[in-house]
Amino acid sequence: MSYSVGQVAGFAGVTVRTLHHYDEIGLLVPSGRSHAGHRRYGDTDLDRLQQILFYRELGFPLDEVAALLDDPEADPRAHLRRRHDLLTARIEKLQKMAAAVEHAMEARTMGIDLTPEEKFEVFGDKDPEAHAEEAEQRWGGTEAYAESQRRAARYTKDDWKRMQAEVASWGERYDALMEAGEPATGERAMDMAEEHRLHITRWFYACSYETHRGLGEMYVADERFKEFYDSMRPGLAEHLKGAIAANVTRHGG
């Protein structure tokens, strides 16, 4: 069974021009030609194309892709192991990036059209522009950042005050929960964790359970967040991390 260049382009989601280029540089030379001289690709060619596109997706330049695929010492199992390792690393990196995006979003409130006096009136001694430049440089192109900006741009001073009041109320109730000796894995703590997740979703961006788990870990790992939550009650950041993890598990995560 063989396929035309147009068929392969359709299968792989690439352009015919790309396949022509791969042929010209010797990266993917079709194994056959029609009587009219047109390129024909077999199953082995499709397997190689799949590997090429995988490495390209991971950011490898074409010359490195060629070197990897044409390594005489490598066998198919070695390629699969390498791809598995790279993909695992990519997933881990993306998970960390997603958590960092949420971290940056929560670290500052964006698009507030207030005077400096009003900003401090609303946020106390916590500058709402903290980490703004870092967030813009690192995450400005993400959908989470854009969504948070779209929402924040519509908020009024009263909206920000209402949001802060919700945070204060939540903090007081979590303090009372810990004072009562409730464990992080208890129902009350998990309910408070769920309320925390919904607060983020309501005010900033859709916060999934796995994203929330990453945030919980960040609250302990990042001294700025740890200080913020522990200012409500010493040890609250660690307790909240546990409550978030338990809540994720409760919801099938």
Side-chain angles (χ1 to χ4, degrees), residues 58-72:
L58 291 176
F60 283 69
L62 291 177
D63 56 345
E64 291 186 23
V65 174
L68 285 168
L69 297 185
D70 295 332
D71 180 0

Side-chain angles (χ1 to χ4, degrees), residues 164-241:
Q164 291 303 101
E166 287 184 12
V167 172
S169 171
W170 179 90
E172 291 171 0
R173 287 180 287 118
Y174 208 104
D175 178 22
L177 177 149
M178 292 180 66
E179 180 69 25
E182 292 283 343
T185 55
E187 289 292 327
R188 287 182 59 193
M190 287 190 287
D191 289 345
M192 290 292 290
E194 179 66 7
E195 182 180 336
H196 182 276
R197 186 186 71 84
L198 293 175
H199 173 88
I200 296 171
T201 295
R202 182 166 58 253
W203 286 98
F204 294 103
Y205 42 79
C207 181
S208 69
Y209 286 104
E210 282 307 311
T211 293
H212 201 213
R213 187 200 298 274
L215 284 176
E217 295 171 354
M218 194 88 58
Y219 296 155
V220 174
D222 188 299
E223 287 301 320
R224 293 168 295 184
F225 279 101
K226 190 173 188 299
E227 180 182 356
F228 172 74
Y229 284 105
D230 284 355
S231 70
M232 299 177 182
R233 181 186 179 90
L236 194 150
E238 185 69 43
H239 196 282
L240 175 58
K241 173 188 173 183

Side-chain angles (χ1 to χ4, degrees), residues 41-224:
Y41 295 82
D43 290 336
T44 301
D45 301 325
L46 297 185
D47 289 342
R48 184 177 174 91
L49 177 58
Q50 182 189 50
Q51 295 181 60
I52 292 170
L53 296 180
F54 174 83
Y55 286 120
R56 290 294 286 157
E57 177 66 22
L58 291 176
F60 283 69
L62 291 177
D63 56 345
E64 291 186 23
V65 174
L68 285 168
L69 297 185
D70 295 332
D71 180 0
E73 299 301 319
D75 61 27
R77 288 175 297 180
H79 275 301
L80 286 173
R81 283 194 298 271
R82 181 188 292 124
R83 290 167 65 186
H84 180 269
D85 291 344
L86 289 169
L87 190 56
T88 300
R90 177 68 175 271
I91 290 171
E92 181 179 352
K93 181 178 180 181
L94 289 174
Q95 288 175 334
K96 289 180 178 179
M97 185 179 295
V101 170
E102 310 304 342
H103 176 190
M105 296 305 96
E106 196 174 349
R108 62 180 287 251
T109 51
M110 300 163 294
I112 309 171
D113 188 17
L114 303 176
T115 66
E117 293 78 13
E118 287 174 326
K119 289 179 182 180
F120 283 101
E121 176 187 343
V122 174
F123 294 99
D125 61 356
K126 292 181 173 60
D127 180 1
E129 298 303 322
H131 320 305
E133 184 175 347
E134 176 187 351
E136 176 68 29
Q137 289 177 348
R138 297 183 66 186
W139 317 118
T142 67
E143 179 56 32
Y145 187 98
E147 175 62 19
S148 186
Q149 282 192 313
R150 284 193 293 268
R151 295 194 196 183
R154 297 193 296 266
Y155 294 158
T156 64
K157 177 180 175 180
D158 287 340
D159 289 328
W160 292 109
K161 285 185 174 181
R162 188 162 57 254
M163 185 209 341
Q164 291 303 101
E166 287 184 12
V167 172
S169 171
W170 179 90
E172 291 171 0
R173 287 180 287 118
Y174 208 104
D175 178 22
L177 177 149
M178 292 180 66
E179 180 69 25
E182 292 283 343
T185 55
E187 289 292 327
R188 287 182 59 193
M190 287 190 287
D191 289 345
M192 290 292 290
E194 179 66 7
E195 182 180 336
H196 182 276
R197 186 186 71 84
L198 293 175
H199 173 88
I200 296 171
T201 295
R202 182 166 58 253
W203 286 98
F204 294 103
Y205 42 79
C207 181
S208 69
Y209 286 104
E210 282 307 311
T211 293
H212 201 213
R213 187 200 298 274
L215 284 176
E217 295 171 354
M218 194 88 58
Y219 296 155
V220 174
D222 188 299
E223 287 301 320
R224 293 168 295 184

